[in-house]
Amino acid sequence: MELGPDDLNALLLTAKLATVVTLALLVVGTPIAWWLARTRSRLRGVIGAFVSLPIVLPPTVLGFYLLLLMGPQGLVGQTTRALGLGMLPFSFAGLVVASVFYSLPFVVQPIQNAFLAMGERPLEVAATLRASPWESFFRVALPQARQGFVTAAVLGFAHTVGEFGVVLMIGGNIPGKTQVLSVQIYNHVEALEYGKAHGLAAGLVAFSFLVLLLLQALGGGRNTTGVGR
């Protein structure tokens, strides 16, 4: 199937969104995963449940509350307006923020499990060698957990590519700006262009299957996602 201009724009926008969101998730998710893996705080269960909430929450529900939060009357919306940044809904920046919230558990949990699997021994050895906490984290913990980071990056990217409800609620359907691949498939179905919808949908199915194969290869056949454990 030959892709039209709107299809190509949606494909490029989706790839851009998934890349930016994956990088943001690794930055945001790593300290959260480290804290959840190391803390003994009573808040651990509450924070862990909050991070995992998008796994069970309908995307439209999450998108609705994010829309209220980032809207003109919401706390985030009022803050961005006061800073002269404008409104986040129906913009690429809004899609990034919403996607980070929606895909957060798919990045945090694999990294958290990798930190837990590392155990205490490597950090204890580093402490006996007078390594500072920062040195122990960057020179011991991060290299030990690298497979968890690879898994998290793959899952975060793939999950962002497959988003629909959240991006539609926050970004709408603006060609070249917020019209991602999943929304474009919906547009083709709405227009009864099933051939075009099938071409894009089949591509996403193949992409998802390749992601699962990659994760299986990384884990040697074991569950490496860390999601739902």
Side-chain angles (χ1 to χ4, degrees):
M1 184 200 76
E2 184 178 351
L3 298 178
D6 288 342
D7 297 329
L8 288 173
N9 286 335
L11 180 61
L12 293 174
L13 183 63
T14 302
K16 177 183 175 182
L17 177 65
T19 301
V20 172
V21 168
T22 300
L23 294 175
L25 282 169
L26 290 174
V27 172
V28 172
T30 298
I32 296 175
W34 179 251
W35 185 84
L36 289 173
R38 303 286 299 170
T39 188
R40 295 181 181 178
S41 170
R42 294 180 180 179
L43 293 176
R44 181 180 182 275
V46 176
I47 300 300
F50 179 78
V51 170
S52 301
L53 198 59
I55 296 176
V56 297
L57 199 64
T60 50
V61 173
L62 178 62
F64 171 69
Y65 283 111
L66 287 175
L67 185 62
L68 292 181
L69 188 63
M70 295 189 292
Q73 305 304 318
L75 177 62
V76 174
Q78 291 178 354
T79 302
T80 55
R81 274 201 307 180
L83 294 174
L85 301 176
M87 303 301 298
L88 290 176
F90 310 109
S91 69
F92 181 79
L95 290 185
V96 171
V97 173
S99 298
V100 166
F101 273 100
Y102 186 49
S103 294
L104 189 61
F106 293 87
V107 169
V108 169
Q109 290 189 14
I111 298 175
Q112 179 186 347
N113 287 335
F115 285 145
L116 289 171
M118 177 183 65
E120 298 289 336
R121 183 62 179 167
L123 298 176
E124 291 173 353
V125 172
T128 62
L129 297 175
R130 298 184 179 181
S132 68
W134 283 106
E135 288 176 324
S136 297
F137 178 74
F138 284 105
R139 301 182 66 176
V140 178
L142 290 186
Q144 290 276 332
R146 63 181 177 273
Q147 182 168 316
F149 279 91
V150 173
T151 300
V154 172
L155 279 176
F157 189 93
H159 195 250
T160 304
V161 168
E163 290 175 357
F164 176 71
V166 168
V167 295
L168 189 61
M169 291 288 289
I170 297 298
N173 191 1
I174 306 173
K177 189 175 181 181
T178 63
Q179 190 180 83
V180 295
L181 205 54
S182 58
V183 175
Q184 182 65 359
I185 293 173
Y186 176 79
N187 290 337
H188 285 315
V189 173
E190 284 277 281
L192 302 179
E193 298 170 342
Y194 294 135
K196 294 180 179 180
H198 171 67
L200 296 178
L204 283 182
V205 170
F207 172 76
S208 301
F209 185 71
L210 289 174
V211 167
L212 293 175
L213 285 180
L214 176 59
L215 293 176
Q216 289 291 322
L218 289 172
R222 296 176 288 108
N223 175 21
T224 62
T225 65
V227 178
R229 289 184 180 178

